[in-house]
Each structure stands twice: as C-alpha cells, then as structure tokens.
Amino acid sequence: YCEIIDLIPHRYPFLFIDRVEEIIENESALGIKNVTINENFFIGHFPDFPVMPGVLIVEAMAQTAACLISYSNKSLQKKKAVFLTSIENAKFKKMTTPGNVLKLSVKVIGSRKNFYKFSGIAYSQGDTMCAANFSAMIQS
C-alpha cells in the first residue's frame, strides 16, 4: 500500500492512524492506531485518568476511510481532500486508554458522485470500543 502521507493531507498533531493494513478498493479498509501515553490530547483529557476522546476515535475511522477513497481513486492522491460531513449512531462502548491498539474497520455502505457513506467499528483485543456511521465528500 501507499504511505498514509501519500493518501491524505493530515499531519501531526492531527493524524490519528499509524498504518493501513488492508484495503479492498472501493469496499473496505483496516487502519491501526497505537494509543500511547505520549498523545498530546492526554495532557488535558484527563491528566489523572487518560482516555482518548470519542470524537478522535471517529476521526481515526474517518481518516482510514479517506485513505480507502484516495487509494481507490489514484487521481485524487495529493490533489483532493476528503471531508467528514456527518456522524450518525455513534456509540462508545469502552474507554480507549494508553496501551490500546485500535483496529479501525471501515466499509463503504453507499456512494454517489463525490459523496460516500461508511460504517465503522473501532475495536481493541476483540472488544468493540466505538461504532458509528459517517459520511464524507471529496473536495470539488
């Protein structure tokens, strides 16, 4: 696969995936996020009880989805960004803490022109941490 930096424009400190392990073009992808105590958001969320914010887990799923779309459409790489447009039915099942390895499974559940709808599940050691449906569009 391509490097993440070749697929999406996100950079530190707002890149929330470490690698993409699987891509089935136009269908699904599996991203990985190694959650470490060094994450800058743990400074304030929460100093004595570090928990990864749920919205950042959804962002990590969305970044995995953006990699899927970019990889599947080579003409978009380094030219267009994919923007999150909606989040639906987000459920946070367990707290994500330092030491968790999040597996971010995303699937395309619909598309039309430059608009895509996904289902995503973030899990760690077999436990579902977060599940959500979300939509994104390719910058025109």
mmCIF file of all heavy atoms in Angstrom, residues 64-97:
data_model
loop_
_atom_site.group_PDB
_atom_site.id
_atom_site.type_symbol
_atom_site.label_atom_id
_atom_site.label_comp_id
_atom_site.label_asym_id
_atom_site.label_seq_id
_atom_site.Cartn_x
_atom_site.Cartn_y
_atom_site.Cartn_z
ATOM 1 N N THR A 64 -9.141 6.662 8.129
ATOM 2 C CA THR A 64 -8.989 5.362 7.469
ATOM 3 C C THR A 64 -9.861 5.316 6.216
ATOM 4 O O THR A 64 -9.421 4.852 5.155
ATOM 5 C CB THR A 64 -9.354 4.219 8.447
ATOM 6 O OG1 THR A 64 -8.498 4.296 9.593
ATOM 7 C CG2 THR A 64 -9.205 2.861 7.787
ATOM 8 N N ALA A 65 -11.093 5.817 6.320
ATOM 9 C CA ALA A 65 -11.998 5.862 5.165
ATOM 10 C C ALA A 65 -11.436 6.760 4.067
ATOM 11 O O ALA A 65 -11.526 6.431 2.879
ATOM 12 C CB ALA A 65 -13.379 6.345 5.606
ATOM 13 N N ALA A 66 -10.841 7.883 4.446
ATOM 14 C CA ALA A 66 -10.240 8.779 3.457
ATOM 15 C C ALA A 66 -9.085 8.087 2.732
ATOM 16 O O ALA A 66 -8.914 8.252 1.515
ATOM 17 C CB ALA A 66 -9.765 10.068 4.133
ATOM 18 N N CYS A 67 -8.302 7.292 3.450
ATOM 19 C CA CYS A 67 -7.230 6.516 2.813
ATOM 20 C C CYS A 67 -7.813 5.531 1.803
ATOM 21 O O CYS A 67 -7.286 5.373 0.700
ATOM 22 C CB CYS A 67 -6.409 5.762 3.856
ATOM 23 S SG CYS A 67 -5.299 6.791 4.835
ATOM 24 N N LEU A 68 -8.912 4.886 2.178
ATOM 25 C CA LEU A 68 -9.583 3.949 1.284
ATOM 26 C C LEU A 68 -10.016 4.639 -0.006
ATOM 27 O O LEU A 68 -9.747 4.155 -1.111
ATOM 28 C CB LEU A 68 -10.790 3.324 1.991
ATOM 29 C CG LEU A 68 -11.797 2.557 1.132
ATOM 30 C CD1 LEU A 68 -11.157 1.364 0.447
ATOM 31 C CD2 LEU A 68 -12.995 2.132 1.979
ATOM 32 N N ILE A 69 -10.670 5.781 0.125
ATOM 33 C CA ILE A 69 -11.156 6.512 -1.053
ATOM 34 C C ILE A 69 -9.994 6.991 -1.917
ATOM 35 O O ILE A 69 -10.002 6.849 -3.135
ATOM 36 C CB ILE A 69 -12.057 7.693 -0.629
ATOM 37 C CG1 ILE A 69 -13.298 7.175 0.099
ATOM 38 C CG2 ILE A 69 -12.439 8.561 -1.829
ATOM 39 C CD1 ILE A 69 -14.059 6.087 -0.629
ATOM 40 N N SER A 70 -8.970 7.543 -1.290
ATOM 41 C CA SER A 70 -7.810 8.031 -2.035
ATOM 42 C C SER A 70 -7.086 6.888 -2.742
ATOM 43 O O SER A 70 -6.720 7.001 -3.907
ATOM 44 C CB SER A 70 -6.863 8.764 -1.081
ATOM 45 O OG SER A 70 -5.739 9.250 -1.765
ATOM 46 N N TYR A 71 -6.883 5.784 -2.036
ATOM 47 C CA TYR A 71 -6.208 4.628 -2.634
ATOM 48 C C TYR A 71 -7.011 4.070 -3.808
ATOM 49 O O TYR A 71 -6.446 3.660 -4.822
ATOM 50 C CB TYR A 71 -6.003 3.547 -1.572
ATOM 51 C CG TYR A 71 -5.220 2.355 -2.075
ATOM 52 C CD1 TYR A 71 -3.829 2.365 -2.073
ATOM 53 C CD2 TYR A 71 -5.882 1.225 -2.560
ATOM 54 C CE1 TYR A 71 -3.112 1.277 -2.542
ATOM 55 C CE2 TYR A 71 -5.167 0.131 -3.033
ATOM 56 C CZ TYR A 71 -3.789 0.165 -3.019
ATOM 57 O OH TYR A 71 -3.081 -0.917 -3.491
ATOM 58 N N SER A 72 -8.329 4.060 -3.663
ATOM 59 C CA SER A 72 -9.203 3.511 -4.699
ATOM 60 C C SER A 72 -9.314 4.426 -5.910
ATOM 61 O O SER A 72 -9.722 3.980 -6.983
ATOM 62 C CB SER A 72 -10.607 3.256 -4.130
ATOM 63 O OG SER A 72 -10.560 2.320 -3.076
ATOM 64 N N ASN A 73 -8.990 5.703 -5.743
ATOM 65 C CA ASN A 73 -9.101 6.703 -6.818
ATOM 66 C C ASN A 73 -7.758 7.410 -6.944
ATOM 67 O O ASN A 73 -7.575 8.505 -6.430
ATOM 68 C CB ASN A 73 -10.206 7.704 -6.493
ATOM 69 C CG ASN A 73 -11.554 7.028 -6.360
ATOM 70 O OD1 ASN A 73 -12.195 6.711 -7.342
ATOM 71 N ND2 ASN A 73 -11.971 6.774 -5.131
ATOM 72 N N LYS A 74 -6.833 6.759 -7.638
ATOM 73 C CA LYS A 74 -5.447 7.247 -7.702
ATOM 74 C C LYS A 74 -5.346 8.711 -8.135
ATOM 75 O O LYS A 74 -4.450 9.421 -7.725
ATOM 76 C CB LYS A 74 -4.614 6.384 -8.650
ATOM 77 C CG LYS A 74 -4.684 4.890 -8.389
ATOM 78 C CD LYS A 74 -3.950 4.468 -7.153
ATOM 79 C CE LYS A 74 -3.856 2.974 -7.026
ATOM 80 N NZ LYS A 74 -4.845 2.325 -6.228
ATOM 81 N N SER A 75 -6.288 9.184 -8.932
ATOM 82 C CA SER A 75 -6.236 10.568 -9.421
ATOM 83 C C SER A 75 -6.439 11.578 -8.298
ATOM 84 O O SER A 75 -6.141 12.756 -8.465
ATOM 85 C CB SER A 75 -7.282 10.792 -10.508
ATOM 86 O OG SER A 75 -8.587 10.630 -9.976
ATOM 87 N N LEU A 76 -6.954 11.129 -7.148
ATOM 88 C CA LEU A 76 -7.192 12.046 -6.025
ATOM 89 C C LEU A 76 -5.959 12.243 -5.157
ATOM 90 O O LEU A 76 -5.868 13.223 -4.422
ATOM 91 C CB LEU A 76 -8.315 11.501 -5.139
ATOM 92 C CG LEU A 76 -9.662 11.304 -5.782
ATOM 93 C CD1 LEU A 76 -10.623 10.674 -4.790
ATOM 94 C CD2 LEU A 76 -10.199 12.630 -6.279
ATOM 95 N N GLN A 77 -5.026 11.304 -5.203
ATOM 96 C CA GLN A 77 -3.897 11.342 -4.284
ATOM 97 C C GLN A 77 -3.120 12.646 -4.431
ATOM 98 O O GLN A 77 -2.772 13.060 -5.520
ATOM 99 C CB GLN A 77 -2.980 10.138 -4.516
ATOM 100 C CG GLN A 77 -3.663 8.842 -4.146
ATOM 101 C CD GLN A 77 -2.840 7.612 -4.460
ATOM 102 O OE1 GLN A 77 -1.651 7.691 -4.710
ATOM 103 N NE2 GLN A 77 -3.493 6.463 -4.446
ATOM 104 N N LYS A 78 -2.905 13.295 -3.294
ATOM 105 C CA LYS A 78 -2.173 14.560 -3.182
ATOM 106 C C LYS A 78 -2.855 15.720 -3.905
ATOM 107 O O LYS A 78 -2.277 16.779 -4.051
ATOM 108 C CB LYS A 78 -0.731 14.407 -3.672
ATOM 109 C CG LYS A 78 0.084 13.474 -2.802
ATOM 110 C CD LYS A 78 1.546 13.560 -3.130
ATOM 111 C CE LYS A 78 2.326 12.710 -2.154
ATOM 112 N NZ LYS A 78 3.738 12.814 -2.311
ATOM 113 N N LYS A 79 -4.112 15.536 -4.362
ATOM 114 C CA LYS A 79 -4.804 16.604 -5.065
ATOM 115 C C LYS A 79 -6.085 17.042 -4.376
ATOM 116 O O LYS A 79 -6.433 18.211 -4.413
ATOM 117 C CB LYS A 79 -5.127 16.162 -6.494
ATOM 118 C CG LYS A 79 -3.897 15.921 -7.323
ATOM 119 C CD LYS A 79 -4.253 15.520 -8.725
ATOM 120 C CE LYS A 79 -2.989 15.258 -9.501
ATOM 121 N NZ LYS A 79 -2.947 14.003 -10.143
ATOM 122 N N LYS A 80 -6.797 16.119 -3.778
ATOM 123 C CA LYS A 80 -8.098 16.422 -3.187
ATOM 124 C C LYS A 80 -8.144 15.890 -1.765
ATOM 125 O O LYS A 80 -7.547 14.868 -1.450
ATOM 126 C CB LYS A 80 -9.223 15.753 -3.987
ATOM 127 C CG LYS A 80 -9.290 16.146 -5.446
ATOM 128 C CD LYS A 80 -10.020 17.432 -5.625
ATOM 129 C CE LYS A 80 -10.161 17.747 -7.112
ATOM 130 N NZ LYS A 80 -10.919 18.934 -7.337
ATOM 131 N N ALA A 81 -8.898 16.583 -0.925
ATOM 132 C CA ALA A 81 -9.108 16.135 0.451
ATOM 133 C C ALA A 81 -10.494 15.523 0.569
ATOM 134 O O ALA A 81 -11.398 15.836 -0.210
ATOM 135 C CB ALA A 81 -8.960 17.309 1.416
ATOM 136 N N VAL A 82 -10.659 14.643 1.539
ATOM 137 C CA VAL A 82 -11.950 14.041 1.834
ATOM 138 C C VAL A 82 -12.420 14.640 3.157
ATOM 139 O O VAL A 82 -11.702 14.599 4.154
ATOM 140 C CB VAL A 82 -11.834 12.500 1.938
ATOM 141 C CG1 VAL A 82 -13.191 11.890 2.250
ATOM 142 C CG2 VAL A 82 -11.275 11.910 0.646
ATOM 143 N N PHE A 83 -13.615 15.237 3.154
ATOM 144 C CA PHE A 83 -14.132 15.938 4.325
ATOM 145 C C PHE A 83 -15.291 15.185 4.961
ATOM 146 O O PHE A 83 -16.225 14.767 4.275
ATOM 147 C CB PHE A 83 -14.608 17.349 3.943
ATOM 148 C CG PHE A 83 -13.483 18.262 3.567
ATOM 149 C CD1 PHE A 83 -13.132 18.429 2.232
ATOM 150 C CD2 PHE A 83 -12.770 18.944 4.536
ATOM 151 C CE1 PHE A 83 -12.090 19.270 1.883
ATOM 152 C CE2 PHE A 83 -11.725 19.779 4.203
ATOM 153 C CZ PHE A 83 -11.384 19.945 2.865
ATOM 154 N N LEU A 84 -15.240 15.044 6.267
ATOM 155 C CA LEU A 84 -16.312 14.434 7.041
ATOM 156 C C LEU A 84 -17.531 15.354 6.976
ATOM 157 O O LEU A 84 -17.429 16.561 7.180
ATOM 158 C CB LEU A 84 -15.834 14.270 8.490
ATOM 159 C CG LEU A 84 -16.680 13.481 9.457
ATOM 160 C CD1 LEU A 84 -16.854 12.038 8.998
ATOM 161 C CD2 LEU A 84 -16.034 13.504 10.831
ATOM 162 N N THR A 85 -18.704 14.788 6.661
ATOM 163 C CA THR A 85 -19.913 15.609 6.540
ATOM 164 C C THR A 85 -20.989 15.266 7.552
ATOM 165 O O THR A 85 -21.838 16.090 7.845
ATOM 166 C CB THR A 85 -20.514 15.515 5.121
ATOM 167 O OG1 THR A 85 -20.789 14.141 4.824
ATOM 168 C CG2 THR A 85 -19.564 16.088 4.077
ATOM 169 N N SER A 86 -20.986 14.036 8.071
ATOM 170 C CA SER A 86 -21.960 13.703 9.105
ATOM 171 C C SER A 86 -21.488 12.494 9.899
ATOM 172 O O SER A 86 -20.703 11.682 9.413
ATOM 173 C CB SER A 86 -23.351 13.422 8.515
ATOM 174 O OG SER A 86 -23.371 12.174 7.855
ATOM 175 N N ILE A 87 -21.982 12.406 11.122
ATOM 176 C CA ILE A 87 -21.745 11.252 12.000
ATOM 177 C C ILE A 87 -23.109 10.841 12.538
ATOM 178 O O ILE A 87 -23.856 11.679 13.029
ATOM 179 C CB ILE A 87 -20.807 11.616 13.172
ATOM 180 C CG1 ILE A 87 -19.463 12.105 12.654
ATOM 181 C CG2 ILE A 87 -20.625 10.414 14.103
ATOM 182 C CD1 ILE A 87 -18.604 12.763 13.735
ATOM 183 N N GLU A 88 -23.423 9.555 12.414
ATOM 184 C CA GLU A 88 -24.722 9.054 12.864
ATOM 185 C C GLU A 88 -24.534 7.828 13.743
ATOM 186 O O GLU A 88 -23.629 7.020 13.516
ATOM 187 C CB GLU A 88 -25.586 8.668 11.664
ATOM 188 C CG GLU A 88 -25.840 9.802 10.698
ATOM 189 C CD GLU A 88 -26.460 9.322 9.390
ATOM 190 O OE1 GLU A 88 -26.547 8.093 9.175
ATOM 191 O OE2 GLU A 88 -26.836 10.180 8.593
ATOM 192 N N ASN A 89 -25.406 7.699 14.710
ATOM 193 C CA ASN A 89 -25.463 6.498 15.537
ATOM 194 C C ASN A 89 -24.131 6.132 16.183
ATOM 195 O O ASN A 89 -23.802 4.945 16.299
ATOM 196 C CB ASN A 89 -25.985 5.298 14.726
ATOM 197 C CG ASN A 89 -27.338 5.563 14.112
ATOM 198 O OD1 ASN A 89 -28.204 6.149 14.759
ATOM 199 N ND2 ASN A 89 -27.516 5.174 12.874
ATOM 200 N N ALA A 90 -23.362 7.131 16.594
ATOM 201 C CA ALA A 90 -22.087 6.849 17.258
ATOM 202 C C ALA A 90 -22.359 6.275 18.641
ATOM 203 O O ALA A 90 -23.156 6.810 19.404
ATOM 204 C CB ALA A 90 -21.247 8.113 17.361
ATOM 205 N N LYS A 91 -21.700 5.172 18.918
ATOM 206 C CA LYS A 91 -21.830 4.526 20.224
ATOM 207 C C LYS A 91 -20.429 4.243 20.740
ATOM 208 O O LYS A 91 -19.598 3.689 20.033
ATOM 209 C CB LYS A 91 -22.610 3.232 20.102
ATOM 210 C CG LYS A 91 -24.000 3.433 19.534
ATOM 211 C CD LYS A 91 -25.006 2.553 20.204
ATOM 212 C CE LYS A 91 -26.392 2.641 19.629
ATOM 213 N NZ LYS A 91 -26.995 3.872 19.452
ATOM 214 N N PHE A 92 -20.192 4.639 21.986
ATOM 215 C CA PHE A 92 -18.900 4.430 22.615
ATOM 216 C C PHE A 92 -19.086 3.381 23.697
ATOM 217 O O PHE A 92 -19.768 3.616 24.684
ATOM 218 C CB PHE A 92 -18.364 5.751 23.166
ATOM 219 C CG PHE A 92 -18.265 6.789 22.081
ATOM 220 C CD1 PHE A 92 -19.277 7.725 21.909
ATOM 221 C CD2 PHE A 92 -17.208 6.794 21.208
ATOM 222 C CE1 PHE A 92 -19.216 8.659 20.891
ATOM 223 C CE2 PHE A 92 -17.129 7.720 20.177
ATOM 224 C CZ PHE A 92 -18.136 8.662 20.017
ATOM 225 N N LYS A 93 -18.502 2.212 23.486
ATOM 226 C CA LYS A 93 -18.767 1.057 24.338
ATOM 227 C C LYS A 93 -17.786 0.926 25.496
ATOM 228 O O LYS A 93 -18.167 0.537 26.586
ATOM 229 C CB LYS A 93 -18.710 -0.231 23.502
ATOM 230 C CG LYS A 93 -19.604 -0.210 22.286
ATOM 231 C CD LYS A 93 -21.011 -0.510 22.657
ATOM 232 C CE LYS A 93 -21.841 -0.704 21.390
ATOM 233 N NZ LYS A 93 -23.186 -1.051 21.685
ATOM 234 N N LYS A 94 -16.513 1.184 25.236
ATOM 235 C CA LYS A 94 -15.473 1.043 26.256
ATOM 236 C C LYS A 94 -14.503 2.206 26.118
ATOM 237 O O LYS A 94 -14.350 2.776 25.030
ATOM 238 C CB LYS A 94 -14.702 -0.270 26.083
ATOM 239 C CG LYS A 94 -15.501 -1.496 26.403
ATOM 240 C CD LYS A 94 -14.606 -2.707 26.414
ATOM 241 C CE LYS A 94 -15.013 -3.565 27.591
ATOM 242 N NZ LYS A 94 -14.047 -4.549 27.941
ATOM 243 N N MET A 95 -13.840 2.533 27.207
ATOM 244 C CA MET A 95 -12.856 3.613 27.171
ATOM 245 C C MET A 95 -11.580 3.145 26.474
ATOM 246 O O MET A 95 -11.113 2.026 26.712
ATOM 247 C CB MET A 95 -12.537 4.088 28.580
ATOM 248 C CG MET A 95 -13.672 4.886 29.185
ATOM 249 S SD MET A 95 -13.236 5.539 30.790
ATOM 250 C CE MET A 95 -13.835 4.221 31.810
ATOM 251 N N THR A 96 -11.043 4.018 25.642
ATOM 252 C CA THR A 96 -9.778 3.754 24.973
ATOM 253 C C THR A 96 -8.690 4.478 25.748
ATOM 254 O O THR A 96 -8.761 5.701 25.934
ATOM 255 C CB THR A 96 -9.834 4.226 23.511
ATOM 256 O OG1 THR A 96 -10.886 3.504 22.848
ATOM 257 C CG2 THR A 96 -8.523 3.988 22.796
ATOM 258 N N THR A 97 -7.702 3.723 26.208
ATOM 259 C CA THR A 97 -6.663 4.260 27.081
ATOM 260 C C THR A 97 -5.279 3.913 26.515
ATOM 261 O O THR A 97 -5.163 3.064 25.617
ATOM 262 C CB THR A 97 -6.813 3.687 28.503
ATOM 263 O OG1 THR A 97 -6.768 2.257 28.440
ATOM 264 C CG2 THR A 97 -8.138 4.111 29.138
#
